[in-house]
Amino acid sequence: MKIKFLLIILLTIISISCDFFSTTKVPNEDNLMKQELEKINWNEVDEYPTVSYCESDSIPDKETKKQCFFQFLTETIQHKISTDTIQMLYPELDTLSIKVTINTDASVKFETLQPTDSISYNVSKIDSILQNRLVNFPTIEPAIKQGVKVKTQFVVPVILKIVE
């Protein structure tokens, strides 16, 4: 009698416990995707673009690598356009704002931005000079976001002449 009673209780518990497992809700795929997309900061990358010069193990943190990259980029552009061509055309011009676009295939595009101050210049003429001078620019590895190479753009101020 006791065995029948225990057997009935045991079977009841087993059948009830199976219902607990079957009632768990499976999350909606669209809701999960929306939640994950909301977590991502689309205005920042996980890893900034980089050049081989800044990839050494002696540069441990993200911010230092970022500074190294921007310093390398600015100095390389300044060095490549350091000839007197732009200074002869526009002697009053001391700084150019250059928009740099780094595509996912590691191609780089340079564009001169329209000046915001009182000095005006022919943007297409300076762009032409830039394109000629910045040929064979060092290879830049694109930025990485969530493990995927992404296109990035930023404005780099390039000093043409140093005021003494």
Side-chain angles (χ1 to χ4, degrees):
M1 181 85 162
K2 286 184 179 184
I3 295 177
K4 281 185 177 182
F5 180 70
L6 287 175
L7 190 57
I8 292 174
I9 290 177
L10 185 62
L11 288 174
T12 306
I13 291 173
I14 290 174
S15 66
I16 291 173
S17 66
C18 289
D19 287 341
F20 287 121
F21 294 117
S22 65
T23 59
T24 54
K25 294 182 180 179
V26 176
N28 183 348
E29 186 177 326
D30 292 333
N31 287 341
L32 280 176
M33 178 67 89
K34 287 178 186 176
Q35 289 173 356
E36 288 300 314
L37 289 175
E38 287 173 2
K39 290 179 186 177
I40 298 172
N41 180 354
W42 293 103
N43 296 321
E44 286 201 24
V45 293
D46 298 336
E47 292 180 35
Y48 280 88
T50 189
V51 291
S52 59
Y53 175 78
C54 298
E55 286 185 345
S56 71
D57 292 334
S58 63
I59 305 175
D61 63 292
K62 179 180 172 180
E63 191 60 35
T64 308
K65 284 183 180 181
K66 174 184 170 183
Q67 289 173 352
C68 175
F69 170 72
F70 281 108
Q71 181 178 355
F72 176 84
L73 184 66
T74 304
E75 288 175 359
T76 304
I77 293 171
Q78 286 172 339
H79 176 72
K80 285 187 171 276
I81 65 172
S82 65
T83 60
D84 296 333
T85 310
I86 295 174
Q87 291 177 354
M88 286 185 342
L89 289 171
Y90 304 102
E92 68 282 357
L93 190 61
D94 63 347
T95 304
L96 279 177
S97 293
I98 299 176
K99 181 168 81 171
V100 180
T101 304
I102 302 170
N103 296 305
T104 57
D105 63 355
S107 62
V108 182
K109 181 180 178 185
F110 300 97
E111 297 174 73
T112 307
L113 295 180
Q114 195 66 32
T116 56
D117 52 10
S118 61
I119 300 172
S120 63
Y121 49 85
N122 185 335
V123 173
S124 61
K125 189 178 277 188
I126 292 182
D127 264 347
S128 174
I129 294 169
L130 274 178
Q131 300 313 316
N132 289 330
R133 300 294 168 128
L134 297 178
V135 177
N136 298 326
F137 201 81
T139 304
I140 298 176
E141 285 299 314
I144 296 177
K145 180 71 174 178
Q146 299 287 311
V148 177
K149 293 179 179 183
V150 293
K151 175 181 174 179
T152 50
Q153 290 183 326
F154 25 79
V155 177
V156 177
V158 176
I159 300 171
L160 299 175
K161 61 182 175 182
I162 299 172
V163 180
E164 296 176 14

